[in-house]
Amino acid sequence: MTSMYASAINSYIFKMANIHDADSMEAREAMSELCEMFGIAHIEHVFFETMLDRKLNKGSISVIYNKGNFNIDRARSITDMTDVGNPVVYTVVPYTDVPEWDDDTYENIKAFIKTVHIFRGRIRTMQLAEQYMFRDSELGVYNLQFFLRCVGRMISENKVSEYNTCRFNMQRFSSVNLQLGRRKGTELLRRYINMLQTRLGQDGFVCRLGGDNFVVLYKKEYQETVESHVSGVEIVFDEFTGEAMMLSAYAGFYMITAEDRTPSEIMDNVSAAAAEAKSNRANPRVFYNEKLVHMQEHKKLIESLFPAAMDNEEFLVYYQPKIDLRTYDLVGAEALCRWRHDGEIIPPDSFIPILEQSTAVCKLDFYMLEHVCADIRNWIDEGRQIVKVSVNLSRRHLGSSTLLESILRIIDHYDIPHKYIEIELTETTTDVDFTDLKEIVSGLKRAGISTSVDDFGVGYSSMNLIRDLPWNVLKIDKSFLPDVDESDPKHFTMLKYLIAMAQEMGLECIVEGVETQDQVNLLKKDGCYLAQGFFFDRPLPVDVFVERLKKK
């Protein structure tokens, strides 16, 4: 190889070292010097899946260089193989006015094409690696790893302040899957995401975090575009009938600044806004602000205190009585958690929602169940009259293959008759949870342990929930209990028929949040004779509750 050609090929190698798209303008420009030197006007690349395809000439063609006039009859073909054995043919065509290549020149051209082939193979390998590492296989969009890598690069290039970010979770998407089926539901979600990506163009990208959770990075000028999209867009799901569905999302926004120094910091901030949006149904779009800063600081404090609080048994069981409205006797209780730290009681709404964001709440649930079982064991040994106690179980447990075994192990360790324990599970909001929920409710029923669906009416899949699962108790949320001076008669009608429906289905019905005598009278009038609430008792510490249990 002449020194002139060798120098040009080395220059090409140097330029290609930092190029990650084999068909980009930069790659074509890097080829230009050698192509001009050899008098090459046109280069085609043909990729064959198999040797049979090569014989049948069935391959995918791409033009990797094209400039000036040429005669295809003067083409020369150079064959090579990929690392995994796919045949590849390069067709090289000189300019019309370039004389025939002599043998030495053609050998140099083959060396040049071999170099091109090596770089194309390397870039293809990198692209495949990126596809597996940085893309979601189901929807074809980027994933969290790509988001963090891209944000990190922008921070290092001092460009991150040109962008904002949004994290969102689809609203009521379990209902979409139930209505359309999972396959159509996934296609609908793909179209929703692709529409957003198209609206952002090359200035942003959507990354999937899992399920129907996503995070978006976009230029600041696209803020209104993203807000509009998550607020609701109509997506066609049946091309033949034109049927469409409105999709919207709970969304948190973070306005990135030049002071943000790490991708994880940005992700934490937008996640805090998204969590607030999902928990606040009156305002499903939330911007990160000072209030959320304080919430994050509080979250970190709770998370840091929790392990020691568990070890020191700072969590206390309080019991709220359940009352029979016909006799006003105590007929059951709900175990509620209180946290005594440094002599003060931390209210549950200050720590439970935080623990529910991780598996920490699972540890607390088992802690509560064990302490309830220990209390019941003491009461039995003391000869007291025992009532059934309900213990709450977070949805965070669902999906655990050992959940039923763990519950039974704790109850049986204290030799508690199963009739004295009831497990309360909050109404589910995702179809994945629904499947797991059915397994655990059915398993508890087989074990003779009562189950209650808590906060009924708050979520989105209520009717399916009580139709398809073998519950024992339906616990109606206090939001369904109207004040007597309520002006809307629908409120009274809904409560009446909800109670009647539960009883027709053979479910025991209890209403929580009862605070007035008028509400008691309303429940008795509608045929519901179980209730709990401040009208009867606030949650009681163990020693006070014990006084309510009569000795035999």
Side-chain angles (χ1 to χ4, degrees):
M1 181 183 296
T2 65
S3 60
M4 176 181 64
Y5 290 145
S7 176
I9 290 178
N10 285 335
S11 175
Y12 171 75
I13 293 172
F14 178 79
K15 292 175 182 177
M16 288 296 294
N18 296 313
I19 294 176
H20 305 292
D21 183 353
D23 297 313
S24 66
M25 182 62 70
E26 292 85 355
R28 294 172 192 265
E29 289 176 353
M31 298 174 66
S32 182
E33 180 180 351
L34 276 162
C35 286
E36 289 301 314
M37 184 178 294
F38 289 121
I40 298 172
H42 182 84
I43 304 176
E44 285 183 5
H45 169 269
V46 187
F47 174 85
F48 299 94
E49 291 286 349
T50 64
M51 290 300 296
L52 179 59
D53 287 341
R54 171 72 179 96
K55 291 179 180 179
L56 298 175
N57 201 28
K58 292 182 178 180
S60 56
I61 303 173
S62 59
V63 175
I64 61 176
Y65 186 80
N66 190 70
K67 185 177 180 181
N69 299 318
F70 59 89
N71 184 348
I72 196 66
D73 293 336
R74 300 180 63 198
R76 304 285 292 270
S77 295
I78 302 169
T79 301
D80 213 321
M81 303 286 285
T82 66
D83 291 339
V84 292
N86 301 105
V88 177
V89 176
Y90 292 87
T91 300
V92 184
V93 190
Y95 285 105
T96 303
D97 57 358
V98 169
E100 288 293 327
W101 290 314
D102 58 32
D103 291 343
D104 288 341
T105 301
Y106 186 55
E107 287 301 317
N108 287 323
I109 289 174
K110 287 199 290 185
F112 165 50
I113 295 300
K114 180 68 175 179
T115 306
V116 171
H117 177 66
I118 291 171
F119 273 106
R120 290 183 70 86
R122 178 184 67 85
I123 291 171
R124 174 63 177 164
T125 300
M126 291 171 60
Q127 289 173 337
L128 287 173
E130 181 174 295
Q131 181 175 338
Y132 286 107
M133 291 177 61
F134 299 114
R135 282 191 179 272
D136 174 79
S137 58
E138 185 176 32
L139 297 185
V141 296
Y142 290 114
N143 58 21
L144 175 60
Q145 286 73 26
F146 180 86
F147 176 85
L148 297 174
R149 186 185 73 158
C150 190
V151 171
R153 187 175 69 246
M154 290 176 179
I155 290 173
S156 66
E157 296 172 354
N158 295 318
K159 294 180 179 179
V160 73
S161 60
E162 299 174 10
Y163 290 81
N164 289 336
T165 186
C166 166
R167 177 171 178 172
F168 64 88
N169 170 248
M170 305 304 297
Q171 289 183 302
R172 299 179 292 278
F173 201 71
S174 61
S175 299
V176 174
N177 280 331
L178 288 172
Q179 179 179 341
L180 302 181
R182 177 167 289 278
R183 184 180 62 82
K184 285 188 177 180
T186 299
E187 178 59 28
L188 194 69
L189 183 60
R190 180 183 291 107
R191 293 184 181 191
Y192 177 84
I193 296 304
N194 287 346
M195 180 184 291
L196 176 56
Q197 183 63 69
T198 300
R199 296 176 73 180
L200 297 177
Q202 300 298 314
D203 293 318
F205 49 83
V206 185
C207 298
R208 191 183 195 186
L209 305 178
D212 57 4
N213 292 278
F214 300 85
V215 63
V216 193
L217 190 70
Y218 53 92
K219 286 288 188 71
K220 291 187 181 296
E221 54 263 36
Y222 287 92
Q223 181 62 37
E224 290 186 6
T225 299
V226 177
E227 287 185 49
S228 171
H229 195 83
V230 298
S231 294
V233 291
E234 193 173 62
I235 306 293
V236 174
F237 64 86
D238 192 319
E239 300 291 351
F240 295 102
T241 64
E243 289 184 271
M245 185 172 289
M246 182 68 71
L247 292 186
S248 58
Y250 303 106
F253 297 92
Y254 178 60
M255 310 292 105
I256 301 175
T257 70
E259 283 70 44
D260 292 309
R261 303 317 308 159
T262 65
S264 58
E265 176 186 348
I266 292 172
M267 191 65 195
D268 286 347
N269 291 344
V270 73
S271 296
E276 178 65 15
K278 190 170 183 180
S279 65
N280 183 1
R281 295 181 180 178
N283 182 24
R285 261 69 68 185
V286 173
F287 286 80
Y288 186 82
N289 53 33
E290 285 300 316
K291 176 184 175 183
L292 289 177
V293 172
H294 295 311
M295 289 174 61
Q296 277 189 289
E297 292 174 350
H298 177 69
K299 177 176 181 288
K300 291 177 181 177
L301 176 63
I302 294 298
E303 290 172 342
S304 66
L305 293 175
F306 177 72
M310 287 283 286
D311 292 341
N312 298 331
E313 298 198 6
E314 295 179 8
F315 296 101
L316 309 176
V317 181
Y318 275 50
Y319 294 91
Q320 185 170 34
K322 296 178 180 180
I323 304 299
D324 186 327
L325 299 184
R326 291 164 292 199
T327 62
Y328 290 90
D329 288 339
L330 185 155
V331 292
E334 179 182 2
L336 299 170
C337 184
R338 297 295 183 265
W339 185 356
R340 180 186 291 155
H341 181 71
D342 288 344
E344 296 183 358
I345 296 293
I346 301 175
D349 58 0
S350 292
F351 66 90
I352 294 292
I354 293 171
L355 299 180
E356 285 180 333
Q357 295 176 32
S358 70
T359 55
V361 73
C362 299
K363 298 177 182 178
L364 182 61
D365 285 347
F366 287 136
Y367 172 102
M368 289 289 292
L369 178 60
E370 184 151 3
H371 281 68
V372 166
C373 289
D375 286 342
I376 294 176
R377 181 73 263 157
N378 289 336
W379 301 336
I380 292 175
D381 293 344
E382 292 169 358
R384 297 185 183 276
Q385 183 175 340
I386 309 302
V387 296
K388 183 185 295 183
V389 178
S390 60
V391 182
N392 290 283
L393 198 72
S394 168
R395 286 200 305 272
R396 278 281 179 181
H397 291 279
L398 299 181
S400 169
S401 60
T402 60
L403 177 57
L404 180 61
E405 177 186 342
S406 298
I407 293 172
L408 295 177
R409 183 172 59 250
I410 293 172
I411 295 172
D412 293 340
H413 173 75
Y414 289 90
D415 195 22
I416 305 299
H418 289 186
K419 65 180 180 179
Y420 291 134
I421 294 292
E422 180 174 291
I423 300 296
E424 288 193 13
L425 296 116
T426 303
E427 180 177 343
T428 185
T429 58
T430 71
D431 54 331
V432 175
D433 284 353
F434 188 88
T435 301
D436 297 333
L437 190 61
K438 187 172 184 177
E439 290 183 7
I440 186 63
V441 172
S442 300
L444 289 169
K445 184 179 182 66
R446 289 192 298 270
I449 296 175
S450 177
T451 56
S452 169
V453 53
D454 194 15
D455 296 336
F456 182 80
V458 174
Y460 298 109
S461 42
S462 306
M463 294 304 118
N464 290 328
L465 198 70
I466 62 172
R467 181 192 66 193
D468 296 338
L469 274 66
W471 301 101
N472 300 98
V473 181
L474 183 70
K475 193 171 188 181
I476 299 176
D477 185 71
K478 63 182 179 181
S479 62
F480 275 77
L481 185 61
D483 293 325
V484 173
D485 58 358
E486 171 75 52
S487 60
D488 188 354
K490 294 179 182 177
H491 210 158
F492 293 90
T493 302
M494 288 178 66
L495 176 65
K496 177 181 177 180
Y497 284 102
L498 193 54
I499 292 170
M501 179 185 66
Q503 293 174 341
E504 281 292 319
M505 297 180 72
L507 298 175
E508 191 173 63
C509 189
I510 182 170
V511 176
E512 61 182 343
V514 178
E515 297 181 353
T516 68
Q517 181 65 56
D518 288 333
Q519 289 176 330
V520 171
N521 295 339
L522 176 63
L523 292 177
K524 293 168 73 172
K525 175 174 174 290
D526 288 341
C528 179
Y529 297 103
L530 286 176
Q532 70 182 86
F534 289 176
F535 179 73
F536 309 104
D537 294 278
R538 291 179 178 273
L540 306 173
V542 177
D543 56 342
V544 177
F545 180 73
V546 165
E547 296 303 315
R548 300 287 302 274
L549 295 175
K550 298 177 182 178
K551 288 189 175 181
K552 292 181 180 178

